[in-house]
Amino acid sequence: MRKPAMQDRLVWQCASLLLGYPDPKRLADAEGLLVHIKGAQAERLRRTARALGCAGPITQATDYVDTFDLHRRTTMYLTYWTAGDTRNRGTAMLQFTAAYREAGVAPPNDEAPDYLPVVLEFAASVDPSAGRRLLIEHRLAIDVLHQALVDADSPYQHAVAAVLTTLPATTDTEARRARRLAEAGPPMEAVGLQPFTLTVPPRRPEGARRSAR
């Protein structure tokens, strides 16, 4: 896996600021970073920043909640699409927690470790290689998020698109899998008791025992 370039790290940090809950300081910091980002990535990020800048604080907050909190398809919790609301999701999130601790930082106290803005900030400012690996391993969830934002004509789609340009190109197989996942939804928890393994052989009928001799 290639070492992340400084441009990638700037994109991740800027996108983290733009995809977090909006406030004037975050937007100002993002615009400050845009000065150092070049090309199509800068234009994508700038489109999100421009849309947020044109909206007032109340509109920004309302749109953000409506986009990311009220619709599951646009969730930014990356393990949701791979583990759903199942018991496996806790295990999946441990991957993020372990990466943060191995890099010498504590997992966030006020947000889940798989929250995309958190992962992007970690990749930008703490451990670019480990952060890039997390993003690549959860590329499917980011693809689904991006498509949902495109379908909703959300200005946040451009910031997510910029993040995707820092990752390896999607294969046809991955693209089809993302479309299927978006249509079918995340895994669901099985209903009822989980299967278990008997530690003692089941009692067989008397006739069966005799015939087996």
Side-chain angles (χ1 to χ4, degrees), residues 1 5 19 39 44 49-50 55-56 60 75 91 102 108 123-124 142 155 168 201 206:
M1 185 182 297
L19 293 171
R44 288 185 175 97
R50 191 181 300 124
Q60 288 179 17
T75 181
T91 301
E102 287 173 8
I142 302 174
E206 185 66 25

Side-chain angles (χ1 to χ4, degrees), residues 148-158:
L149 292 171
V150 170
D151 292 344
D153 195 25
S154 168
Y156 290 105
Q157 66 178 282
H158 309 298

Side-chain angles (χ1 to χ4, degrees), residues 195-203:
F196 63 94
T197 301
L198 291 172
T199 57
V200 178
R203 184 182 297 277

Side-chain angles (χ1 to χ4, degrees), residues 20-24 27 49-68 156:
Y21 190 83
D23 69 58
L27 183 57
R50 191 181 300 124
L52 295 177
C54 290
I58 295 177
T59 301
Q60 288 179 17
T62 301
D63 289 348
Y64 188 88
V65 170
D66 183 62
T67 299
F68 296 114
Y156 290 105

Side-chain angles (χ1 to χ4, degrees), residues 26-43:
R26 294 179 70 91
L27 183 57
D29 289 345
E31 290 174 341
L33 286 173
L34 278 169
V35 175
H36 306 286
I37 302 174
K38 300 178 178 62
Q41 291 173 322
E43 180 54 31

